[in-house]
Amino acid sequence: QLQLVESGGGLVQPGGSLRLSCAASGDSLDYYAIGWFLQAPGKEREGVSCISSSGGSTKHADSVKGRFTISRDNAKNTVYLQMNSLKPEDTAVYYCKAELTSWVRTTSYWGQGTQVTVSS
């Protein structure tokens, strides 16, 4: 069964950068679309960035466009979220989700999350 482990979070000052990693095991990510989500304390989980299985298409929430970049390295079975120009409002737990779609359903797998704190 596919398992996802996020890493790379931590404490960073406003304007700084972090690179989050989502490492997969148990299955190849080649056929999965990948999304990064964030959940701030007391709030609903929301989408940040996503990338197609081929890596040819990416989308970002308006709040992070121009600052975050999602990429994947299928050879390493890993997806990355490069986070630049970080703001305090980016503070949240970031989760990686892999989705396998078909005509009848979408199967999703979640990682356990990694904490990102942007503060001076």
Side-chain angles (χ1 to χ4, degrees):
Q1 185 176 10
L2 181 67
Q3 295 181 337
L4 304 173
V5 178
E6 300 95 334
S7 63
L11 176 64
V12 64
Q13 294 184 345
S17 298
L18 287 173
R19 189 181 74 162
L20 306 185
S21 297
C22 175
S25 61
D27 196 11
S28 172
L29 287 179
D30 289 2
Y31 300 101
Y32 292 82
I34 308 297
W36 284 96
F37 294 74
L38 66 82
Q39 188 165 20
K43 296 185 178 181
E44 298 287 334
R45 192 172 299 182
E46 60 185 65
V48 178
S49 302
C50 62
I51 187 168
S52 63
S53 59
S54 69
S57 298
T58 61
K59 294 182 179 180
H60 302 279
D62 289 342
S63 61
V64 305
K65 286 181 179 178
R67 300 190 298 121
F68 290 10
T69 302
I70 187 170
S71 62
R72 64 191 299 158
D73 187 341
N74 285 354
K76 296 182 178 180
N77 222 23
T78 300
V79 177
Y80 304 96
L81 184 67
Q82 180 65 47
M83 310 165 68
N84 298 326
S85 302
L86 284 162
K87 304 175 181 179
E89 51 262 44
D90 296 322
T91 295
V93 177
Y94 284 74
Y95 297 88
C96 177
K97 183 177 78 170
E99 290 190 341
L100 183 65
T101 61
S102 70
W103 287 108
V104 297
R105 70 182 65 225
T106 297
T107 303
S108 300
Y109 300 88
W110 290 91
Q112 296 184 16
T114 184
Q115 176 70 49
V116 172
T117 302
V118 184
S119 176
S120 59

